[in-house]
Amino acid sequence: MTRKTASRKPSAAAAKTLADVLALVQADASMSPKHKQEIASALRMTARAVGRELLEVPAEPAHLRARLKDFAPAALGMTPQRWANIRSLLKKALTIAGLGDGYERKRAPFL
């Protein structure tokens, strides 16, 4: 008897907004509840950093990178270390949603 299992890597088309990414993270059975909470908090703080609700923030790495480029963590009363953690958790969430590869900074070849 074969059993069908859900793919751990949903299609990128499934995640249109950060709210969709949050839903995918919360549905991931392989993560602990604590880790899901940490990622949920990071997604909410990312939305606050861009001044929008989760439903309004596109889950597009290039868009997020541009919007967060000049963000100062002190504007929301957080330390640079907390902001680094939020960005790391955001990258993890995008990876879970099948969007993480594009979030990494592209490096030009050294020539």
Side-chain angles (χ1 to χ4, degrees), residues 17-101:
T17 67
L18 290 187
D20 298 326
V21 172
L22 178 57
L24 289 169
V25 166
Q26 291 179 337
D28 189 336
S30 69
M31 291 189 338
S32 72
K34 182 178 192 249
H35 197 56
K36 289 179 186 184
Q37 289 173 348
E38 291 170 347
I39 290 176
S41 174
L43 289 171
R44 286 190 294 273
M45 289 302 289
T46 300
R48 283 184 61 196
V50 299
R52 305 268 183 195
E53 296 292 325
L54 285 173
L55 286 169
E56 301 171 328
V57 182
E60 297 174 12
H63 172 80
L64 291 167
R65 190 179 313 109
R67 291 293 307 267
L68 299 173
K69 179 181 171 188
D70 296 321
F71 177 73
L76 291 179
M78 69 179 86
T79 65
Q81 293 83 8
R82 173 66 179 139
W83 183 241
N85 288 343
I86 288 169
R87 289 185 65 122
S88 176
L89 290 166
L90 172 62
K91 182 178 174 183
K92 170 112 176 148
L94 292 174
T95 300
I96 290 167
L99 300 165
D101 296 336

